Amino acid sequence: MTPDGAVSRPRLARPVLLYDGECGFCLTWIARLRRWDRAERIRCLPAGDRATDPALPPIPDAALREAMHLVTPDGRILPGGRALPELIRYLPGGPVLRPLLRLPGVPWITDRVYRWVARRRHRLGCGSSTCPSR
């Protein structure tokens, strides 16, 4: 417990990327991310398994259905396209790419493209029997 009476949460050792563990499209991209992240600096966790880690802050199910969420070791929660600049920071070559994602207008475009893809992921190769488009 903190001095002000709030319950303190354990700190994450590394960032956690929460994703739709039942979506084939998402699983394909998580597999690509894991190949890129050879040092395993990012923990990828299906959103449905988030209760297994008490260090994760509460995130509403509805928000998790809409987008992936990156939770950083310092407790920030970055959904969808807003997670990308922070996410690549942990990947080989990422520090070189990160400034490009911060150029004027790029965060706005990245967020819009992410949302467009996320809304259509079930038509872009999900393949899950739980997919709403089936």
Side-chain angles (χ1 to χ4, degrees):
M1 206 176 266
T2 63
D4 63 0
V7 175
S8 62
R9 186 179 315 284
R11 205 169 140 86
L12 293 170
R14 58 186 171 149
V16 176
L17 182 64
L18 298 169
Y19 65 93
D20 182 346
E22 296 180 1
C23 172
F25 181 83
C26 300
L27 292 169
T28 296
W29 283 96
I30 290 297
R32 290 176 180 163
L33 176 67
R34 285 182 169 140
R35 283 193 301 274
W36 189 3
D37 183 19
R38 294 181 302 274
E40 298 180 3
R41 294 183 68 202
I42 301 162
R43 179 177 176 213
C44 298
L45 183 68
D49 295 345
R50 69 190 183 279
T52 63
D53 190 336
L56 289 171
I59 301 171
D61 289 339
L64 290 164
R65 282 191 296 274
E66 295 287 320
M68 68 176 180
H69 283 69
L70 182 68
V71 182
T72 63
D74 64 4
R76 289 178 294 141
I77 303 169
L78 303 166
R82 293 193 356 228
L84 295 176
E86 185 69 17
L87 188 63
I88 67 165
R89 173 180 147 193
Y90 295 94
L91 299 168
V96 174
L97 298 172
R98 194 170 185 218
L100 298 174
L101 290 173
R102 297 207 182 271
L103 289 172
V106 173
W108 183 87
I109 292 168
T110 302
D111 189 53
R112 296 311 178 277
V113 169
Y114 180 90
R115 281 195 269 161
W116 186 90
V117 170
R119 281 192 304 269
R120 291 161 180 82
R121 73 184 187 273
H122 300 293
R123 287 181 264 161
L124 296 171
C126 173
S128 167
S129 61
T130 62
C131 184
S133 68
R134 291 182 151 243

